[in-house]
Amino acid sequence: MVAGGQVLAQERVASINLMTTTESYDPIRYEAAFIIAERWRELGFEVNVQPTEFSTALERFYDQQDFDATILGWSGRTDRLDPQFFLSTLDSRQSNLGGNNPGGYENPEFDALFDQQSQAFDMDERQRIVQEMQELYKPDAPLVVLFHRDEVVAFNHDAFEGINPMAGEGLYSEWGPMEARPVGDRSILRIGGPQEPDNLNPLASTSVWGWKWMRLYYDRLVRLSADVEPLPWAAESVDQVDDNTVAVTLRQGMTFHDGEPVTAEDVAFTWNYYLDQDYSYFNSYLAALERAEQVDEHTVHFHLSEPSASFASISLSQIPILPKHLWEEIEDASTLSPSQIPTVGSGPFVHERFDRGEFMALSKFEEHFHADEIAADGVEFIIYADMEGVYTGLQTGQIDVTAWRMEPGQIGLAEGEDHLTVVNVPDFGYFHMTYNLRREPFDDRAVRRALTMATDRERMVNVLLDGRGEVGSSVIAPVNTFWHDPFVERFDFDMEAARAELEEAGYSWDDEGRLVR
């Protein structure tokens, strides 16, 4: 290239390692990576697809931030219908190791709006800010929301009834084991899935697989209904004392599984312990909290640094109550080995067993205040190598409920089985491809925009999902209609537009078709 009579050196753009799951764990994400790589190579990039074991991928993504681009997913847990969590994944204050913004997106205006929506008690005003945030981040293309995949799951109605789906969570919700009613003689609910928890440390787990299990044996002050209605749980009442103070009166007569009473001291200890441990996964829920104060034996005051629109309803529903007498001597909870982790809670089920890679078991806690409403005597979770094993277990009666989406080819088979009920619910979680903005070439906005345009998400939905899903647009899903902004930049698949974006930014191609700067 010649400019002003001088020959300028051309440098090939750095190659890209695209990390995804293994084919056996999730063939959809595995195949999606190759669809992406095919088009990116057409655009002139060198791309290496790296199938990675799931727990290893989580560790590299969150704890080490050692990746170029990664395909993972955010589950649509009920609490995430509130926009607080998904918006926090783009908050620069969540970009530290272990935080929910591993890509490292930084936008001071976005962060300021995040704080504004957190403090907006007027729903219409908060909606306006949330939609403005979506319009603000989208042109920067810090990640690609690949698709929202329908939750197609099934259960054996000859074994249990009363298992109702929840939006985003399907059948494996926290209410499922509490509402399931045995049809026959067996009263242990058996759930099957392809993934075990990353760990059972309530101050280290960053996987939905860990929390879906732990929330059955830990209580929270509030539980969310299927309609996202905050229901007092361990709390008898929740009251807003003033803009910066929330008062919780604890339900009386509760005990931990080891027989010790649950007190306001335990609740205050738990929240302050989480603050002191700086557990990044929960930072968005704890951001407004200055400290928790025990007022008397049954009352705790939560002192906030600023008003929080979601603290009483969402934050109180996420933090598990820990027994102070077991945790107060643990200086750094993140260093606990599996054998050192206390698994004593006060929840409706008691932790019994965890055989890594194979089996987990809980039993009903007969002393729990909700025990009389629970028909199942316990819950077992059978861990399979892949979804083929899960479906075979469902088909043969080894399990009663699938914890994960069935593959497209299994759905028609399940619908033909007389003993199975197939359930389809939309998902407000999403599968994403996150760029590491700290690394070349993702530190260049034009490259990110071009790569996003060259990502054929329509093909993923139509071919890989067999049409059972929706192309992603924003981190707030279209099904979440009140908060979703339908007018954000969509980045439809367009290879010519991708090339034009790169050319306008000063990129070109060498004789071998590789992109150079």
Side-chain angles (χ1 to χ4, degrees):
M1 180 181 295
V2 179
Q6 293 183 328
V7 177
L8 301 181
Q10 292 183 327
E11 178 186 2
R12 282 186 169 181
V13 171
S15 62
I16 296 171
N17 292 319
L18 177 55
M19 184 166 63
T20 188
T21 57
T22 60
E23 184 176 17
S24 61
Y25 175 72
D26 184 358
I28 303 299
R29 276 179 277 189
Y30 175 84
E31 292 293 343
F34 288 95
I35 289 175
I36 293 166
E38 175 187 359
R39 294 300 191 178
W40 285 5
R41 290 175 185 134
E42 282 185 37
L43 202 55
F45 291 87
E46 180 181 334
V47 186
N48 306 305
V49 176
Q50 294 182 327
T52 306
E53 190 271 329
F54 184 68
S55 60
T56 302
L58 289 180
E59 183 176 1
R60 287 183 56 188
F61 186 66
Y62 292 107
D63 301 332
Q64 302 170 1
Q65 295 177 355
D66 178 21
F67 68 97
D68 292 344
T70 298
I71 299 176
L72 282 172
W74 283 116
S75 299
R77 297 192 334 228
T78 305
D79 58 289
R80 295 174 182 173
L81 278 168
D82 184 277
Q84 185 80 1
F85 179 83
F86 285 134
L87 293 176
S88 78
T89 65
L90 295 169
D91 184 342
S92 68
R93 293 159 292 189
Q94 285 279 329
S95 63
N96 55 306
L97 292 178
N100 288 334
N101 177 10
Y105 180 59
E106 293 187 19
N107 186 326
E109 187 178 352
F110 184 94
D111 293 352
L113 289 172
F114 181 81
D115 292 341
Q116 289 180 34
Q117 66 82 29
S118 297
Q119 300 170 39
F121 286 88
D122 181 271
M123 290 292 280
D124 291 336
E125 173 65 8
R126 191 176 182 215
Q127 179 192 48
R128 183 194 65 77
I129 299 170
V130 166
Q131 293 186 347
E132 182 180 348
M133 294 174 72
Q134 295 170 71
E135 294 173 5
L136 178 65
Y137 93 81
K138 197 63 193 294
D140 290 338
L143 81 165
V144 187
V145 179
L146 296 174
F147 47 78
H148 307 278
R149 183 179 178 184
D150 290 352
E151 190 88 18
V152 186
V153 288
F155 70 95
N156 181 351
H157 54 244
D158 286 348
F160 280 87
E161 61 184 9
I163 307 176
N164 301 307
M166 289 180 67
E169 298 210 11
L171 297 170
Y172 185 28
S173 73
E174 59 191 296
W175 293 105
M178 289 191 276
E179 295 178 343
R181 299 186 303 273
V183 173
D185 295 333
R186 178 167 53 81
S187 58
I188 301 293
L189 179 69
R190 295 171 179 166
I191 304 171
Q195 181 63 38
E196 64 183 349
D198 56 334
N199 64 67
L200 293 181
N201 184 341
L203 283 110
S205 178
T206 58
S207 163
V208 68
W209 295 100
W211 280 107
K212 281 198 171 189
W213 192 245
M214 286 189 287
R215 67 189 181 182
L216 295 176
Y217 59 89
Y218 285 113
D219 272 328
R220 278 81 56 83
L221 293 169
V222 169
R223 285 191 189 263
L224 296 175
S225 73
D227 299 319
V228 205
E229 177 188 2
L231 305 174
W233 190 254
E236 182 177 282
S237 64
V238 178
D239 301 294
Q240 193 84 33
V241 178
D242 55 47
D243 284 351
N244 288 29
T245 309
V246 175
V248 168
T249 302
L250 193 65
R251 183 189 293 268
Q252 297 185 32
M254 293 175 58
T255 63
F256 289 108
H257 300 150
D258 61 2
E260 293 293 318
V262 179
T263 68
E265 185 178 8
D266 293 297
V267 174
F269 163 80
T270 295
W271 286 78
N272 292 326
Y273 190 69
Y274 268 93
L275 283 175
D276 293 341
Q277 293 286 313
D278 192 26
Y279 174 42
S280 297
Y281 188 72
F282 276 165
N283 274 356
S284 63
Y285 298 124
L286 297 168
L289 181 66
E290 285 190 340
R291 63 188 175 92
E293 176 194 10
Q294 178 189 1
V295 177
D296 57 38
E297 186 179 355
H298 301 294
T299 308
V300 177
H301 280 184
F302 293 92
H303 298 285
L304 310 182
S305 59
E306 58 195 20
S308 172
S310 62
F311 187 85
S313 59
I314 303 299
S315 295
L316 293 185
S317 75
Q318 297 310 303
I319 307 300
I321 301 173
L322 304 177
K324 179 182 178 182
H325 62 280
L326 296 180
W327 286 90
E328 62 182 334
E329 299 301 326
I330 300 174
E331 185 173 341
D332 185 355
S334 66
T335 64
L336 294 175
S337 68
S339 62
Q340 295 173 320
I341 299 168
T343 54
V344 174
S346 61
F349 294 92
V350 179
H351 180 276
E352 297 286 356
R353 181 175 161 190
F354 179 22
D355 300 336
R356 296 222 62 156
E358 297 181 3
F359 181 79
M360 304 189 296
L362 305 173
S363 61
K364 183 168 75 169
F365 183 36
E366 298 291 351
E367 304 304 314
H368 195 269
F369 60 84
H370 197 69
D372 290 345
E373 306 299 321
I374 301 174
D377 287 332
V379 185
E380 295 177 350
F381 193 104
I382 301 174
I383 303 162
Y384 294 89
D386 50 36
M387 275 307 298
E388 182 177 350
V390 176
Y391 179 71
T392 299
L394 182 70
Q395 187 181 39
T396 60
Q398 186 180 28
I399 61 172
D400 307 310
V401 183
T402 57
W404 189 239
R405 304 170 180 89
M406 291 187 292
E407 299 303 332
Q410 297 169 347
I411 296 170
L413 297 175
E415 290 173 335
E417 295 282 354
D418 292 339
H419 67 295
L420 299 182
T421 295
V422 177
V423 177
N424 188 336
V425 293
D427 193 8
F428 53 89
Y430 54 87
F431 289 83
H432 61 87
M433 176 174 57
T434 294
Y435 305 127
N436 191 338
L437 275 61
R438 307 171 186 85
R439 293 186 179 181
E440 294 183 357
F442 306 109
D443 56 345
D444 189 332
R445 180 177 186 264
V447 170
R448 299 195 304 269
R449 288 177 56 85
L451 291 174
T452 304
M453 294 173 188
T455 300
D456 193 350
R457 292 172 289 164
E458 291 85 354
R459 181 179 169 194
M460 295 175 196
V461 171
N462 293 332
V463 177
L464 301 183
L465 303 184
D466 196 25
R468 295 177 185 267
E470 183 174 2
V471 170
S473 53
S474 166
V475 294
I476 307 297
V479 71
N480 198 356
T481 53
F482 184 78
W483 301 111
H484 175 74
D485 184 350
F487 303 111
V488 294
E489 187 174 3
R490 294 193 59 85
F491 290 99
D492 292 330
F493 175 61
D494 189 333
M495 293 296 290
E496 290 304 313
R499 292 180 67 89
E501 185 83 26
L502 292 170
E503 287 178 323
E504 186 176 347
Y507 291 86
S508 59
W509 289 263
D510 64 18
D511 294 340
E512 296 179 10
R514 281 289 308 280
L515 191 68
V516 295
R517 70 170 90 228

